[in-house]
Amino acid sequence: MSGLQKDEVEKKLVFYEVGKEYHKGIVSFLESYFKGDAAIKVEDLDAAFTGVQVASRDDFNKIINQGWTGDWDLNPANITTKRVQVASMNNAGLHPRGYYLNADIVKIEAIQNGSNTRYRLFIANPVIVNTGNRNVKFITQPVRYI
């Protein structure tokens, strides 16, 4: 929140006769709130992660229960560390935007789709993480090697 916005908030608090002792707490809350809505690049979700990163609208509970995610247009040879990070692209549900799932890749299976080959990633040891930020910015390609 900029200094100008802080001044506007302070003016509103005075106008609505909010006690001066509450101003700092309210302004602090609003600053944190606005920071939580700031855009974050998908590669900044988990700086220590290596493997393949995908963006999906699939429900995480479904992914975990079926034991796989995909079918992805990717090159298995480019996945140097057998890990996958699935970033949620959902607008609602238990795991909306801002959540991601990290898992080990235990098997990669080629799936023929007409003349195209896509790959299904079978997973183990899934962990769901909430970044606390729904404004995650993805590259235009839904698959990224890290």
Side-chain angles (χ1 to χ4, degrees), residues 47-130:
F49 178 82
T50 59
V52 63
Q53 191 175 61
V54 296
S56 177
R57 290 196 188 280
D58 290 345
D59 179 83
F60 285 173
N61 292 323
K62 177 184 173 190
I63 292 171
I64 291 168
N65 289 331
Q66 70 189 10
W68 54 269
T69 183
D71 305 327
W72 301 101
D73 183 10
L74 55 80
N75 182 349
N78 288 343
I79 305 172
T80 55
T81 304
K82 299 297 185 211
R83 303 260 307 142
V84 63
Q85 183 174 82
V86 183
S88 175
M89 293 300 293
N90 294 325
N91 291 321
L94 292 175
H95 305 106
R97 287 182 69 98
Y99 281 81
Y100 65 89
L101 180 148
N102 281 349
D104 298 324
I105 299 172
V106 293
K107 180 172 89 171
I108 301 174
E109 183 177 291
I111 306 293
Q112 283 304 124
N113 183 7
S115 62
N116 294 333
T117 302
R118 293 189 170 257
Y119 295 90
R120 185 169 290 169
L121 306 175
F122 289 84
I123 63 170
N125 307 315
V127 176
I128 298 173
V129 178
N130 180 3

Side-chain angles (χ1 to χ4, degrees), residues 18 21 32-33 41 48 52-53 64 81 83 112 131 135:
V18 175
E21 66 271 18
S32 297
Y33 180 80
K41 293 179 183 174
V52 63
Q53 191 175 61
I64 291 168
T81 304
R83 303 260 307 142
Q112 283 304 124
T131 66
N135 198 8

